[in-house]
Amino acid sequence: MDIPFLIGLVGAIILVMGAAYPVKPVKHPTKSIKNWLFAIGAVCMFIYALLGYLDGGPIFFLILQILVAVSTVLMMLDTPDKVDVPILGISGLVLIIWSLTLFEGTNTVFFVIGLVGIALGYALKPGSIQRNLSLTLGSALIAIFSYIEKDAIFFWLNTFFALFSAYYVIKLMLTAKHPKKKAA
C-alpha cells in the first residue's frame, strides 16, 4: 500500500466518521467534534489529491479539496450564510467557467456542480436540512465523477458521505414534521 493511498484512505475514513457523527448543538463550530472530523479529513484529502495530481492524476480532485478547505475555514470561523453563499457561489461559478475551458466531457460539469454543492454544504448552518441536502447532492455527483475517473478513494468517500447526509436530511425532515412535545 503506497503512502498517498494510505493518506487518502485515512482522510476518507475520518470524513465518513464526520458525516456519521450525530449533529449536536454547540455554541461555536470549533467546539464541534463533527466539524473537527470534517476539518482533519479535509486536510488529509487535500494531501491525497495534491500527491495524486503531482503523480499525473486529474487536477479536479485538487480543485475540490481547495474549495473544501475554503469552506472548512468559513465553517470554523462561523461566518454567516449571507457571506458564505456568495463567496462559494462566485468561486463555484469561476470553476464552472474554468472547467469548460478544460472540458474533458460532461463528467467535468458533473464534477463542478458537485463541487459547488459540497462547498455550500460545508458552509451552511450545521444541522440544517439545506446543509445536508447540499452535501448529499454534491457528494453524489462527485461520486459519479470519481467512478468515471476510476478513483476508488474519492468514489467510496463521496458515496458514503452522500448516504449519511441523505440520512440526516430525512431525519431532519421527520423531526420538523413531528416535533417532540414539551413537558408541562
Side-chain angles (χ1 to χ4, degrees):
M1 192 177 310
D2 63 349
I3 297 295
F5 181 82
L6 186 60
I7 292 169
L9 184 61
V10 168
I13 290 169
I14 291 170
L15 283 169
V16 169
M17 288 171 43
Y21 198 85
V23 177
K24 296 182 180 182
V26 293
K27 291 184 182 201
H28 194 273
T30 58
K31 305 229 185 260
S32 167
I33 292 172
K34 185 176 190 79
N35 289 345
W36 279 108
L37 290 170
F38 284 155
I40 293 166
V43 169
C44 292
M45 294 308 295
F46 174 79
I47 294 167
Y48 170 71
L50 178 62
L51 293 174
Y53 173 68
L54 293 175
D55 194 36
I59 193 168
F60 296 106
F61 293 122
L62 184 58
I63 294 169
L64 166 66
Q65 292 312 125
I66 290 169
L67 197 54
V68 167
V70 170
S71 301
T72 302
V73 168
L74 292 171
M75 173 185 68
M76 294 302 252
L77 292 174
D78 200 22
T79 56
D81 288 354
K82 62 184 175 185
V83 173
D84 297 341
V85 172
I87 289 172
L88 296 170
I90 291 168
S91 300
L93 181 60
V94 168
L95 287 171
I96 289 170
I97 292 167
W98 182 49
S99 74
L100 294 174
T101 67
L102 298 174
F103 197 72
E104 295 179 9
T106 55
N107 57 333
T108 304
V109 176
F110 286 125
F111 166 79
V112 174
I113 295 169
L115 172 67
V116 172
I118 289 174
L120 290 174
Y122 264 85
L124 292 172
K125 182 181 176 190
S128 69
I129 291 174
Q130 295 85 351
R131 178 185 190 168
N132 287 287
L133 187 59
S134 184
L135 290 171
T136 300
L137 297 174
S139 295
L141 288 170
I142 296 293
I144 292 168
F145 176 82
S146 302
Y147 179 79
I148 293 167
E149 291 293 323
K150 296 174 180 52
D151 189 304
I153 296 283
F154 275 108
F155 171 75
W156 287 111
L157 165 64
N158 285 286
T159 298
F160 284 120
F161 208 85
L163 291 171
F164 282 118
S165 297
Y167 165 77
Y168 283 112
V169 167
I170 293 166
K171 185 176 178 179
L172 289 166
M173 290 173 70
L174 290 174
T175 302
K177 282 186 176 181
H178 306 289
K180 294 178 183 175
K181 294 180 181 178
K182 292 185 178 181

